[in-house]
Amino acid sequence: MDRAQVTAFVRRYIAAMGGEILEEAPSYVRVRLTPDMDKDLMNRPFYWSYMEQFGLEPVPAVLTLVFDPDRPPPDGRGEPIAFGSLRLTQIFRSAQKRGRFVRLYEAPGGTAGNGEASSPFLAPGDRTARAPPAASRAPRPASGR
């Protein structure tokens, strides 16, 4: 993934998870995390168990993600995001854990590469599985116990 793809993915993740963008620039974004995002990304299990156990109002963390290290935020603080970074790996895991749908494409006319655009369709909550071979579906003989 190049820098533009990483930036687009992280911004889509923030929007999909409902994060509140506090400050935004082409080279970075400062976001107030939702409780779910905070639990997935910030590694604060004792904080969250304490808040939930005593019924206190949690304060999710504010995270600054820097996409271009040559142009950091004015305060100079932030976490660099690039393919292979720990934080991006955590974002991938969170997206995989909390994802709800997949966008699939079909090849028009059954042939690929004919220059026509593919049309997307949605498969919410769909599971795809391969059926076992017919031999394994044969009834088993009764055991003589």
Side-chain angles (χ1 to χ4, degrees):
M1 292 179 87
D2 64 1
R3 186 178 295 167
Q5 290 172 324
V6 169
T7 302
F9 177 79
V10 170
R11 290 178 192 272
R12 278 195 331 261
Y13 170 79
I14 291 168
M17 293 294 290
E20 178 188 354
I21 295 178
L22 304 175
E23 189 177 345
E24 188 172 17
S27 62
Y28 71 94
V29 64
R30 182 168 287 131
V31 60
R32 180 176 310 280
L33 305 176
T34 63
D36 288 335
M37 290 170 70
D38 192 309
K39 289 176 186 177
D40 290 346
L41 303 179
M42 298 307 291
N43 194 21
R44 304 189 305 168
F46 297 115
Y47 172 81
W48 285 102
S49 64
Y50 182 82
M51 290 296 177
E52 290 168 356
Q53 186 175 11
F54 291 108
L56 301 173
E57 185 67 30
V59 179
V62 174
L63 188 60
T64 303
L65 304 173
V66 179
F67 305 114
D68 187 358
D70 298 332
R71 298 183 335 195
D75 61 2
R77 295 174 42 188
E79 193 167 339
I81 296 291
F83 191 71
S85 67
L86 176 62
R87 187 67 69 197
L88 186 60
T89 303
Q90 289 173 328
I91 291 172
F92 285 152
R93 285 190 187 132
S94 175
Q96 184 177 18
K97 175 181 170 184
R98 299 189 184 278
R100 295 189 182 163
F101 64 91
V102 63
R103 183 184 296 178
L104 305 172
Y105 290 90
E106 63 180 13
T111 60
N114 58 2
E116 296 179 21
S118 297
S119 56
F121 58 93
L122 197 59
D126 193 21
R127 289 184 181 242
T128 304
R130 191 175 141 250
S136 66
R137 287 184 280 177
R140 295 184 179 170
S143 63
R145 286 190 213 184

PDB file of all heavy atoms in Angstrom, residues 87-121:
ATOM      1  N   ARG A  87       0.398   0.689  14.661  1.00  0.00           N
ATOM      2  CA  ARG A  87      -0.937   1.288  14.758  1.00  0.00           C
ATOM      3  C   ARG A  87      -1.790   0.919  13.548  1.00  0.00           C
ATOM      4  O   ARG A  87      -2.981   0.638  13.690  1.00  0.00           O
ATOM      5  CB  ARG A  87      -0.832   2.798  14.902  1.00  0.00           C
ATOM      6  CG  ARG A  87      -2.136   3.481  15.180  1.00  0.00           C
ATOM      7  CD  ARG A  87      -2.712   3.155  16.533  1.00  0.00           C
ATOM      8  NE  ARG A  87      -1.905   3.740  17.573  1.00  0.00           N
ATOM      9  CZ  ARG A  87      -1.961   3.373  18.843  1.00  0.00           C
ATOM     10  NH1 ARG A  87      -2.772   2.436  19.227  1.00  0.00           N
ATOM     11  NH2 ARG A  87      -1.191   3.944  19.728  1.00  0.00           N
ATOM     12  N   LEU A  88      -1.212   0.896  12.357  1.00  0.00           N
ATOM     13  CA  LEU A  88      -1.981   0.513  11.169  1.00  0.00           C
ATOM     14  C   LEU A  88      -2.382  -0.958  11.246  1.00  0.00           C
ATOM     15  O   LEU A  88      -3.493  -1.321  10.855  1.00  0.00           O
ATOM     16  CB  LEU A  88      -1.193   0.793   9.890  1.00  0.00           C
ATOM     17  CG  LEU A  88      -1.962   0.566   8.589  1.00  0.00           C
ATOM     18  CD1 LEU A  88      -3.184   1.468   8.513  1.00  0.00           C
ATOM     19  CD2 LEU A  88      -1.062   0.815   7.400  1.00  0.00           C
ATOM     20  N   THR A  89      -1.524  -1.804  11.785  1.00  0.00           N
ATOM     21  CA  THR A  89      -1.875  -3.206  11.976  1.00  0.00           C
ATOM     22  C   THR A  89      -3.046  -3.337  12.938  1.00  0.00           C
ATOM     23  O   THR A  89      -3.960  -4.138  12.716  1.00  0.00           O
ATOM     24  CB  THR A  89      -0.660  -3.991  12.500  1.00  0.00           C
ATOM     25  OG1 THR A  89       0.413  -3.832  11.576  1.00  0.00           O
ATOM     26  CG2 THR A  89      -0.977  -5.462  12.672  1.00  0.00           C
ATOM     27  N   GLN A  90      -3.057  -2.535  14.004  1.00  0.00           N
ATOM     28  CA  GLN A  90      -4.183  -2.543  14.941  1.00  0.00           C
ATOM     29  C   GLN A  90      -5.462  -2.066  14.263  1.00  0.00           C
ATOM     30  O   GLN A  90      -6.543  -2.597  14.522  1.00  0.00           O
ATOM     31  CB  GLN A  90      -3.866  -1.659  16.143  1.00  0.00           C
ATOM     32  CG  GLN A  90      -2.817  -2.224  17.053  1.00  0.00           C
ATOM     33  CD  GLN A  90      -2.423  -1.240  18.144  1.00  0.00           C
ATOM     34  OE1 GLN A  90      -2.437  -0.030  17.948  1.00  0.00           O
ATOM     35  NE2 GLN A  90      -2.064  -1.784  19.297  1.00  0.00           N
ATOM     36  N   ILE A  91      -5.365  -1.069  13.395  1.00  0.00           N
ATOM     37  CA  ILE A  91      -6.536  -0.577  12.665  1.00  0.00           C
ATOM     38  C   ILE A  91      -7.060  -1.668  11.733  1.00  0.00           C
ATOM     39  O   ILE A  91      -8.277  -1.875  11.629  1.00  0.00           O
ATOM     40  CB  ILE A  91      -6.195   0.725  11.911  1.00  0.00           C
ATOM     41  CG1 ILE A  91      -5.973   1.857  12.913  1.00  0.00           C
ATOM     42  CG2 ILE A  91      -7.291   1.096  10.921  1.00  0.00           C
ATOM     43  CD1 ILE A  91      -5.447   3.139  12.309  1.00  0.00           C
ATOM     44  N   PHE A  92      -6.167  -2.381  11.052  1.00  0.00           N
ATOM     45  CA  PHE A  92      -6.587  -3.489  10.191  1.00  0.00           C
ATOM     46  C   PHE A  92      -7.329  -4.548  11.007  1.00  0.00           C
ATOM     47  O   PHE A  92      -8.380  -5.049  10.590  1.00  0.00           O
ATOM     48  CB  PHE A  92      -5.390  -4.136   9.501  1.00  0.00           C
ATOM     49  CG  PHE A  92      -4.801  -3.337   8.371  1.00  0.00           C
ATOM     50  CD1 PHE A  92      -3.465  -3.465   8.058  1.00  0.00           C
ATOM     51  CD2 PHE A  92      -5.569  -2.476   7.621  1.00  0.00           C
ATOM     52  CE1 PHE A  92      -2.904  -2.752   7.017  1.00  0.00           C
ATOM     53  CE2 PHE A  92      -5.024  -1.750   6.581  1.00  0.00           C
ATOM     54  CZ  PHE A  92      -3.688  -1.894   6.274  1.00  0.00           C
ATOM     55  N   ARG A  93      -6.791  -4.904  12.165  1.00  0.00           N
ATOM     56  CA  ARG A  93      -7.434  -5.918  13.013  1.00  0.00           C
ATOM     57  C   ARG A  93      -8.800  -5.447  13.504  1.00  0.00           C
ATOM     58  O   ARG A  93      -9.753  -6.219  13.560  1.00  0.00           O
ATOM     59  CB  ARG A  93      -6.541  -6.259  14.195  1.00  0.00           C
ATOM     60  CG  ARG A  93      -5.385  -7.124  13.816  1.00  0.00           C
ATOM     61  CD  ARG A  93      -4.639  -7.651  15.031  1.00  0.00           C
ATOM     62  NE  ARG A  93      -3.441  -8.332  14.595  1.00  0.00           N
ATOM     63  CZ  ARG A  93      -2.247  -8.140  15.107  1.00  0.00           C
ATOM     64  NH1 ARG A  93      -2.085  -7.306  16.103  1.00  0.00           N
ATOM     65  NH2 ARG A  93      -1.207  -8.803  14.650  1.00  0.00           N
ATOM     66  N   SER A  94      -8.893  -4.186  13.880  1.00  0.00           N
ATOM     67  CA  SER A  94     -10.164  -3.640  14.338  1.00  0.00           C
ATOM     68  C   SER A  94     -11.189  -3.644  13.211  1.00  0.00           C
ATOM     69  O   SER A  94     -12.352  -3.994  13.417  1.00  0.00           O
ATOM     70  CB  SER A  94      -9.964  -2.220  14.865  1.00  0.00           C
ATOM     71  OG  SER A  94     -11.198  -1.641  15.206  1.00  0.00           O
ATOM     72  N   ALA A  95     -10.772  -3.255  12.013  1.00  0.00           N
ATOM     73  CA  ALA A  95     -11.685  -3.251  10.867  1.00  0.00           C
ATOM     74  C   ALA A  95     -12.142  -4.668  10.546  1.00  0.00           C
ATOM     75  O   ALA A  95     -13.311  -4.903  10.226  1.00  0.00           O
ATOM     76  CB  ALA A  95     -11.002  -2.627   9.655  1.00  0.00           C
ATOM     77  N   GLN A  96     -11.239  -5.626  10.655  1.00  0.00           N
ATOM     78  CA  GLN A  96     -11.601  -7.009  10.390  1.00  0.00           C
ATOM     79  C   GLN A  96     -12.558  -7.528  11.462  1.00  0.00           C
ATOM     80  O   GLN A  96     -13.521  -8.219  11.160  1.00  0.00           O
ATOM     81  CB  GLN A  96     -10.337  -7.858  10.357  1.00  0.00           C
ATOM     82  CG  GLN A  96     -10.582  -9.293   9.986  1.00  0.00           C
ATOM     83  CD  GLN A  96      -9.289 -10.087   9.903  1.00  0.00           C
ATOM     84  OE1 GLN A  96      -8.259  -9.676  10.438  1.00  0.00           O
ATOM     85  NE2 GLN A  96      -9.331 -11.218   9.251  1.00  0.00           N
ATOM     86  N   LYS A  97     -12.315  -7.161  12.697  1.00  0.00           N
ATOM     87  CA  LYS A  97     -13.146  -7.620  13.816  1.00  0.00           C
ATOM     88  C   LYS A  97     -14.542  -7.013  13.772  1.00  0.00           C
ATOM     89  O   LYS A  97     -15.527  -7.686  14.040  1.00  0.00           O
ATOM     90  CB  LYS A  97     -12.450  -7.229  15.130  1.00  0.00           C
ATOM     91  CG  LYS A  97     -13.221  -7.514  16.374  1.00  0.00           C
ATOM     92  CD  LYS A  97     -12.420  -7.044  17.574  1.00  0.00           C
ATOM     93  CE  LYS A  97     -13.207  -7.072  18.843  1.00  0.00           C
ATOM     94  NZ  LYS A  97     -12.437  -6.514  19.963  1.00  0.00           N
ATOM     95  N   ARG A  98     -14.641  -5.749  13.417  1.00  0.00           N
ATOM     96  CA  ARG A  98     -15.918  -5.048  13.487  1.00  0.00           C
ATOM     97  C   ARG A  98     -16.579  -4.828  12.124  1.00  0.00           C
ATOM     98  O   ARG A  98     -17.598  -4.170  12.040  1.00  0.00           O
ATOM     99  CB  ARG A  98     -15.723  -3.708  14.178  1.00  0.00           C
ATOM    100  CG  ARG A  98     -15.210  -3.889  15.596  1.00  0.00           C
ATOM    101  CD  ARG A  98     -15.205  -2.617  16.365  1.00  0.00           C
ATOM    102  NE  ARG A  98     -14.617  -2.812  17.663  1.00  0.00           N
ATOM    103  CZ  ARG A  98     -15.239  -3.300  18.722  1.00  0.00           C
ATOM    104  NH1 ARG A  98     -16.482  -3.673  18.624  1.00  0.00           N
ATOM    105  NH2 ARG A  98     -14.618  -3.430  19.878  1.00  0.00           N
ATOM    106  N   GLY A  99     -15.964  -5.367  11.068  1.00  0.00           N
ATOM    107  CA  GLY A  99     -16.534  -5.206   9.732  1.00  0.00           C
ATOM    108  C   GLY A  99     -17.868  -5.920   9.613  1.00  0.00           C
ATOM    109  O   GLY A  99     -18.084  -6.965  10.205  1.00  0.00           O
ATOM    110  N   ARG A 100     -18.777  -5.359   8.829  1.00  0.00           N
ATOM    111  CA  ARG A 100     -20.114  -5.934   8.720  1.00  0.00           C
ATOM    112  C   ARG A 100     -20.489  -6.334   7.308  1.00  0.00           C
ATOM    113  O   ARG A 100     -21.467  -7.003   7.113  1.00  0.00           O
ATOM    114  CB  ARG A 100     -21.143  -4.940   9.227  1.00  0.00           C
ATOM    115  CG  ARG A 100     -20.979  -4.663  10.692  1.00  0.00           C
ATOM    116  CD  ARG A 100     -22.114  -3.857  11.196  1.00  0.00           C
ATOM    117  NE  ARG A 100     -21.882  -3.583  12.595  1.00  0.00           N
ATOM    118  CZ  ARG A 100     -22.493  -2.661  13.274  1.00  0.00           C
ATOM    119  NH1 ARG A 100     -23.378  -1.916  12.701  1.00  0.00           N
ATOM    120  NH2 ARG A 100     -22.223  -2.472  14.536  1.00  0.00           N
ATOM    121  N   PHE A 101     -19.775  -5.870   6.334  1.00  0.00           N
ATOM    122  CA  PHE A 101     -20.152  -6.210   4.974  1.00  0.00           C
ATOM    123  C   PHE A 101     -18.924  -6.272   4.092  1.00  0.00           C
ATOM    124  O   PHE A 101     -17.857  -5.838   4.471  1.00  0.00           O
ATOM    125  CB  PHE A 101     -21.167  -5.216   4.400  1.00  0.00           C
ATOM    126  CG  PHE A 101     -20.629  -3.831   4.254  1.00  0.00           C
ATOM    127  CD1 PHE A 101     -20.021  -3.430   3.083  1.00  0.00           C
ATOM    128  CD2 PHE A 101     -20.718  -2.919   5.292  1.00  0.00           C
ATOM    129  CE1 PHE A 101     -19.511  -2.148   2.945  1.00  0.00           C
ATOM    130  CE2 PHE A 101     -20.226  -1.638   5.157  1.00  0.00           C
ATOM    131  CZ  PHE A 101     -19.626  -1.252   3.985  1.00  0.00           C
ATOM    132  N   VAL A 102     -19.119  -6.832   2.923  1.00  0.00           N
ATOM    133  CA  VAL A 102     -18.039  -6.948   1.961  1.00  0.00           C
ATOM    134  C   VAL A 102     -18.578  -6.494   0.607  1.00  0.00           C
ATOM    135  O   VAL A 102     -19.752  -6.689   0.311  1.00  0.00           O
ATOM    136  CB  VAL A 102     -17.515  -8.402   1.906  1.00  0.00           C
ATOM    137  CG1 VAL A 102     -18.581  -9.356   1.438  1.00  0.00           C
ATOM    138  CG2 VAL A 102     -16.311  -8.512   1.011  1.00  0.00           C
ATOM    139  N   ARG A 103     -17.749  -5.871  -0.165  1.00  0.00           N
ATOM    140  CA  ARG A 103     -18.155  -5.468  -1.501  1.00  0.00           C
ATOM    141  C   ARG A 103     -17.500  -6.426  -2.485  1.00  0.00           C
ATOM    142  O   ARG A 103     -16.288  -6.555  -2.523  1.00  0.00           O
ATOM    143  CB  ARG A 103     -17.713  -4.037  -1.802  1.00  0.00           C
ATOM    144  CG  ARG A 103     -18.189  -3.573  -3.168  1.00  0.00           C
ATOM    145  CD  ARG A 103     -17.688  -2.218  -3.515  1.00  0.00           C
ATOM    146  NE  ARG A 103     -18.228  -1.241  -2.591  1.00  0.00           N
ATOM    147  CZ  ARG A 103     -17.921   0.053  -2.621  1.00  0.00           C
ATOM    148  NH1 ARG A 103     -17.075   0.500  -3.504  1.00  0.00           N
ATOM    149  NH2 ARG A 103     -18.446   0.884  -1.756  1.00  0.00           N
ATOM    150  N   LEU A 104     -18.336  -7.098  -3.247  1.00  0.00           N
ATOM    151  CA  LEU A 104     -17.864  -8.062  -4.223  1.00  0.00           C
ATOM    152  C   LEU A 104     -18.128  -7.523  -5.616  1.00  0.00           C
ATOM    153  O   LEU A 104     -19.049  -6.746  -5.820  1.00  0.00           O
ATOM    154  CB  LEU A 104     -18.587  -9.400  -4.032  1.00  0.00           C
ATOM    155  CG  LEU A 104     -18.500 -10.011  -2.637  1.00  0.00           C
ATOM    156  CD1 LEU A 104     -19.417 -11.219  -2.537  1.00  0.00           C
ATOM    157  CD2 LEU A 104     -17.081 -10.407  -2.324  1.00  0.00           C
ATOM    158  N   TYR A 105     -17.358  -7.980  -6.584  1.00  0.00           N
ATOM    159  CA  TYR A 105     -17.553  -7.561  -7.967  1.00  0.00           C
ATOM    160  C   TYR A 105     -17.776  -8.787  -8.827  1.00  0.00           C
ATOM    161  O   TYR A 105     -17.174  -9.835  -8.610  1.00  0.00           O
ATOM    162  CB  TYR A 105     -16.332  -6.795  -8.483  1.00  0.00           C
ATOM    163  CG  TYR A 105     -16.181  -5.438  -7.863  1.00  0.00           C
ATOM    164  CD1 TYR A 105     -15.453  -5.272  -6.699  1.00  0.00           C
ATOM    165  CD2 TYR A 105     -16.776  -4.329  -8.435  1.00  0.00           C
ATOM    166  CE1 TYR A 105     -15.317  -4.024  -6.116  1.00  0.00           C
ATOM    167  CE2 TYR A 105     -16.657  -3.077  -7.859  1.00  0.00           C
ATOM    168  CZ  TYR A 105     -15.918  -2.938  -6.715  1.00  0.00           C
ATOM    169  OH  TYR A 105     -15.799  -1.707  -6.136  1.00  0.00           O
ATOM    170  N   GLU A 106     -18.653  -8.628  -9.787  1.00  0.00           N
ATOM    171  CA  GLU A 106     -18.868  -9.711 -10.738  1.00  0.00           C
ATOM    172  C   GLU A 106     -18.352  -9.270 -12.098  1.00  0.00           C
ATOM    173  O   GLU A 106     -18.384  -8.087 -12.440  1.00  0.00           O
ATOM    174  CB  GLU A 106     -20.336 -10.077 -10.825  1.00  0.00           C
ATOM    175  CG  GLU A 106     -21.215  -8.962 -11.341  1.00  0.00           C
ATOM    176  CD  GLU A 106     -22.673  -9.353 -11.405  1.00  0.00           C
ATOM    177  OE1 GLU A 106     -23.038 -10.381 -10.832  1.00  0.00           O
ATOM    178  OE2 GLU A 106     -23.432  -8.620 -12.032  1.00  0.00           O
ATOM    179  N   ALA A 107     -17.875 -10.198 -12.844  1.00  0.00           N
ATOM    180  CA  ALA A 107     -17.385  -9.893 -14.176  1.00  0.00           C
ATOM    181  C   ALA A 107     -18.573  -9.919 -15.141  1.00  0.00           C
ATOM    182  O   ALA A 107     -19.263 -10.928 -15.244  1.00  0.00           O
ATOM    183  CB  ALA A 107     -16.336 -10.905 -14.604  1.00  0.00           C
ATOM    184  N   PRO A 108     -18.861  -8.803 -15.835  1.00  0.00           N
ATOM    185  CA  PRO A 108     -20.003  -8.797 -16.755  1.00  0.00           C
ATOM    186  C   PRO A 108     -19.781  -9.784 -17.893  1.00  0.00           C
ATOM    187  O   PRO A 108     -18.704  -9.838 -18.473  1.00  0.00           O
ATOM    188  CB  PRO A 108     -20.064  -7.369 -17.273  1.00  0.00           C
ATOM    189  CG  PRO A 108     -18.970  -6.633 -16.633  1.00  0.00           C
ATOM    190  CD  PRO A 108     -18.165  -7.560 -15.806  1.00  0.00           C
ATOM    191  N   GLY A 109     -20.788 -10.570 -18.188  1.00  0.00           N
ATOM    192  CA  GLY A 109     -20.703 -11.523 -19.276  1.00  0.00           C
ATOM    193  C   GLY A 109     -19.795 -12.704 -18.980  1.00  0.00           C
ATOM    194  O   GLY A 109     -19.532 -13.507 -19.856  1.00  0.00           O
ATOM    195  N   GLY A 110     -19.267 -12.796 -17.790  1.00  0.00           N
ATOM    196  CA  GLY A 110     -18.432 -13.922 -17.426  1.00  0.00           C
ATOM    197  C   GLY A 110     -17.004 -13.848 -17.934  1.00  0.00           C
ATOM    198  O   GLY A 110     -16.244 -14.773 -17.763  1.00  0.00           O
ATOM    199  N   THR A 111     -16.628 -12.770 -18.591  1.00  0.00           N
ATOM    200  CA  THR A 111     -15.249 -12.644 -19.070  1.00  0.00           C
ATOM    201  C   THR A 111     -14.611 -11.435 -18.420  1.00  0.00           C
ATOM    202  O   THR A 111     -15.226 -10.392 -18.278  1.00  0.00           O
ATOM    203  CB  THR A 111     -15.206 -12.480 -20.599  1.00  0.00           C
ATOM    204  OG1 THR A 111     -15.937 -11.300 -20.947  1.00  0.00           O
ATOM    205  CG2 THR A 111     -15.812 -13.678 -21.301  1.00  0.00           C
ATOM    206  N   ALA A 112     -13.392 -11.594 -18.023  1.00  0.00           N
ATOM    207  CA  ALA A 112     -12.675 -10.491 -17.379  1.00  0.00           C
ATOM    208  C   ALA A 112     -11.770  -9.819 -18.400  1.00  0.00           C
ATOM    209  O   ALA A 112     -11.301 -10.430 -19.349  1.00  0.00           O
ATOM    210  CB  ALA A 112     -11.845 -11.013 -16.220  1.00  0.00           C
ATOM    211  N   GLY A 113     -11.537  -8.551 -18.202  1.00  0.00           N
ATOM    212  CA  GLY A 113     -10.595  -7.828 -19.045  1.00  0.00           C
ATOM    213  C   GLY A 113     -11.142  -7.390 -20.385  1.00  0.00           C
ATOM    214  O   GLY A 113     -10.385  -7.122 -21.305  1.00  0.00           O
ATOM    215  N   ASN A 114     -12.470  -7.297 -20.511  1.00  0.00           N
ATOM    216  CA  ASN A 114     -13.031  -6.870 -21.782  1.00  0.00           C
ATOM    217  C   ASN A 114     -13.260  -5.362 -21.842  1.00  0.00           C
ATOM    218  O   ASN A 114     -13.872  -4.867 -22.773  1.00  0.00           O
ATOM    219  CB  ASN A 114     -14.324  -7.628 -22.094  1.00  0.00           C
ATOM    220  CG  ASN A 114     -15.380  -7.445 -21.021  1.00  0.00           C
ATOM    221  OD1 ASN A 114     -15.167  -6.720 -20.058  1.00  0.00           O
ATOM    222  ND2 ASN A 114     -16.504  -8.099 -21.187  1.00  0.00           N
ATOM    223  N   GLY A 115     -12.800  -4.637 -20.838  1.00  0.00           N
ATOM    224  CA  GLY A 115     -12.896  -3.181 -20.839  1.00  0.00           C
ATOM    225  C   GLY A 115     -14.158  -2.635 -20.208  1.00  0.00           C
ATOM    226  O   GLY A 115     -14.293  -1.436 -20.048  1.00  0.00           O
ATOM    227  N   GLU A 116     -15.112  -3.489 -19.847  1.00  0.00           N
ATOM    228  CA  GLU A 116     -16.342  -3.028 -19.205  1.00  0.00           C
ATOM    229  C   GLU A 116     -16.125  -2.915 -17.698  1.00  0.00           C
ATOM    230  O   GLU A 116     -15.362  -3.667 -17.118  1.00  0.00           O
ATOM    231  CB  GLU A 116     -17.479  -4.002 -19.486  1.00  0.00           C
ATOM    232  CG  GLU A 116     -17.852  -4.087 -20.946  1.00  0.00           C
ATOM    233  CD  GLU A 116     -18.970  -5.092 -21.170  1.00  0.00           C
ATOM    234  OE1 GLU A 116     -19.700  -5.396 -20.203  1.00  0.00           O
ATOM    235  OE2 GLU A 116     -19.104  -5.573 -22.296  1.00  0.00           O
ATOM    236  N   ALA A 117     -16.827  -1.980 -17.092  1.00  0.00           N
ATOM    237  CA  ALA A 117     -16.704  -1.795 -15.647  1.00  0.00           C
ATOM    238  C   ALA A 117     -17.441  -2.904 -14.907  1.00  0.00           C
ATOM    239  O   ALA A 117     -18.498  -3.352 -15.348  1.00  0.00           O
ATOM    240  CB  ALA A 117     -17.267  -0.445 -15.244  1.00  0.00           C
ATOM    241  N   SER A 118     -16.873  -3.334 -13.802  1.00  0.00           N
ATOM    242  CA  SER A 118     -17.539  -4.329 -12.964  1.00  0.00           C
ATOM    243  C   SER A 118     -18.600  -3.640 -12.134  1.00  0.00           C
ATOM    244  O   SER A 118     -18.451  -2.487 -11.742  1.00  0.00           O
ATOM    245  CB  SER A 118     -16.536  -5.006 -12.040  1.00  0.00           C
ATOM    246  OG  SER A 118     -15.581  -5.703 -12.781  1.00  0.00           O
ATOM    247  N   SER A 119     -19.679  -4.353 -11.843  1.00  0.00           N
ATOM    248  CA  SER A 119     -20.731  -3.772 -11.021  1.00  0.00           C
ATOM    249  C   SER A 119     -20.673  -4.400  -9.632  1.00  0.00           C
ATOM    250  O   SER A 119     -20.681  -5.628  -9.504  1.00  0.00           O
ATOM    251  CB  SER A 119     -22.095  -3.990 -11.660  1.00  0.00           C
ATOM    252  OG  SER A 119     -22.299  -5.364 -11.879  1.00  0.00           O
ATOM    253  N   PRO A 120     -20.604  -3.566  -8.586  1.00  0.00           N
ATOM    254  CA  PRO A 120     -20.517  -4.118  -7.231  1.00  0.00           C
ATOM    255  C   PRO A 120     -21.881  -4.575  -6.732  1.00  0.00           C
ATOM    256  O   PRO A 120     -22.908  -4.070  -7.153  1.00  0.00           O
ATOM    257  CB  PRO A 120     -20.003  -2.944  -6.407  1.00  0.00           C
ATOM    258  CG  PRO A 120     -20.487  -1.757  -7.132  1.00  0.00           C
ATOM    259  CD  PRO A 120     -20.492  -2.120  -8.590  1.00  0.00           C
ATOM    260  N   PHE A 121     -21.882  -5.537  -5.836  1.00  0.00           N
ATOM    261  CA  PHE A 121     -23.097  -5.915  -5.130  1.00  0.00           C
ATOM    262  C   PHE A 121     -22.720  -6.224  -3.696  1.00  0.00           C
ATOM    263  O   PHE A 121     -21.580  -6.529  -3.393  1.00  0.00           O
ATOM    264  CB  PHE A 121     -23.814  -7.080  -5.819  1.00  0.00           C
ATOM    265  CG  PHE A 121     -22.999  -8.329  -5.971  1.00  0.00           C
ATOM    266  CD1 PHE A 121     -23.058  -9.327  -5.023  1.00  0.00           C
ATOM    267  CD2 PHE A 121     -22.175  -8.504  -7.064  1.00  0.00           C
ATOM    268  CE1 PHE A 121     -22.317 -10.483  -5.158  1.00  0.00           C
ATOM    269  CE2 PHE A 121     -21.427  -9.655  -7.211  1.00  0.00           C
ATOM    270  CZ  PHE A 121     -21.496 -10.645  -6.259  1.00  0.00           C
TER     271      PHE A 121
END
